[in-house]
Amino acid sequence: MVLTFSCSNEKESETGLTTINLVEAYNNAAPINMSDFASDIEYIRLETSENTFYKSIYLKSTLGDSMILMKSTDRISLFDRKTGTYLKDIGHKGDDPEGFSSALYALGVNVKNKTVYARGKRFDLYEYSLGDGLLVNTIPGPKVEELDKALTSISFMDISLITSQGIIDDELGVGYFMNIKGNEPYKLVVYDFNGEVLKIYPNHQSYEKRKNGISIESADFHNYNNALFFKENFNDTVFNVGVDTLKPALVYELGEYSPPYTEQESMSIEQRKEYMFVRNTLQNSSFIFYNVAFKGMEAYGYYNRKTKEAKLSDPSTSNSKTGFTNDIDNFVPFYPTSINEEGEMMGVITAEEVYEWFQNNPDKIASLPENLQALQNIEPEDNPVVMIAKLR
């Protein structure tokens, strides 16, 4: 096995790098209408029954105009896009040879193979057919000695561990090493579907480790334009992950609100609220979408590639999160989660949020289209409603 390391300074930016000023956007926060970037919204109420109920559910993708792929931590299911009817499960969670250990809700569809990924044993990826729902391929985890050591360790305080994964062009796997021990030497590993390591990108950042505690920090992977992009919680930069380079693609300008990497385990919950955390990034050719956690609230916004303007919804209008104002149908707000292969933006609204909208807006019900008025009988604990927006 040949390992090659990138020595580029991750803090350096390049000429022409897209910079998104979120401090300015926050200072000028205002309601953002969906019509700014979308022309139409499709709603699909997912079937609810004892066999189809999801406690936590994530919308990952659509399969053309016929099916919707939903994931939770322990389940993968297909629903009919037109009716919301449950169709079938893909694979299953279990200790048997074909059972996955986690559905890996961050990973979507392999369009070329018409398959979907889940985590198998160890650090393997299992690939299941969307046709018959069966296991068709096992992708071994990267052959990194430190990962083998982690599997036999009795302590989580001093191990190297892959906690998030991405896929490059349906052909290569990427694993993210969460910095559990404070001085993790690796950041990302790129490997082929035989488990052979093609590249390891080192981690140059560290923090002072507490004696008894683990800081669980997220990493965001998303695909756009046949490329894979990656961002850590305590980093302002979104990187384009390749086999040869880890190239800065976007920078969120956070100013004094940029969370300090070196203090990630020493900060209290209240101290963390004083910093901006960009949770997710989505892209198309016209816009970059993001959501930002700050001061105990979450706000959604977008950057217009043409005008170079960054916007953020007004977080003061809600006690928890503020999405995009639905001025297209004058209905529930929109919280995007992903963009599918057809370029449609997708989101999920909980049944409870839909129920509360009807309770709080009785004077607006009559003006809704018939398909939305039909949602009046939804119960708070039903499965969610999928929203699919056609982007401009």
Side-chain angles (χ1 to χ4, degrees), residues 215-267:
S215 177
I216 305 297
E217 301 298 340
S218 63
D220 177 45
F221 284 104
H222 75 276
N223 292 92
Y224 163 65
N225 200 24
N226 297 320
L228 178 68
F229 295 84
F230 158 80
K231 181 188 176 298
E232 290 179 284
N233 228 2
F234 279 82
N235 200 320
D236 301 344
T237 304
V238 177
F239 294 93
N240 184 334
V241 185
V243 179
D244 299 316
T245 58
L246 187 62
K247 183 178 179 180
L250 314 169
V251 172
Y252 290 108
E253 188 173 314
L254 306 180
E256 63 180 311
Y257 305 121
S258 180
Y261 191 97
T262 57
E263 299 176 23
Q264 60 183 275
E265 274 204 2
S266 60
M267 285 190 293

Side-chain angles (χ1 to χ4, degrees), residues 7 13 40 42 75 81 136 154 168 172 178 181 204 208 213 233 263 273 290-291 295 312 317 319 338 385 391:
C7 297
S13 62
D40 187 51
E42 178 183 349
R75 193 171 180 183
R81 176 165 174 171
V136 294
I154 61 174
I168 300 178
L172 301 174
M178 189 178 77
K181 53 193 175 185
H204 301 295
E208 185 176 352
N233 228 2
E263 299 176 23
K273 291 180 181 179
Y290 40 79
N291 60 302
K295 296 188 180 298
L312 195 67
T317 60
N319 293 327
S338 55
V385 174
L391 295 175

Side-chain angles (χ1 to χ4, degrees), residues 5-11 179 182 184-187 201-206 232 261:
F5 289 81
S6 168
C7 297
S8 61
N9 186 336
E10 294 172 358
K11 294 182 180 179
N179 191 355
E184 170 61 50
Y186 304 146
K187 184 180 293 295
Y201 292 102
N203 173 44
H204 301 295
Q205 297 172 297
S206 63
E232 290 179 284
Y261 191 97

Side-chain angles (χ1 to χ4, degrees), residues 223 282-284 289 337-341 343-346 391:
N223 292 92
L282 300 172
Q283 300 185 67
N284 75 352
F289 300 90
T337 59
S338 55
I339 296 177
N340 66 15
E341 287 73 22
E344 299 168 313
M345 176 173 279
M346 303 179 294
L391 295 175

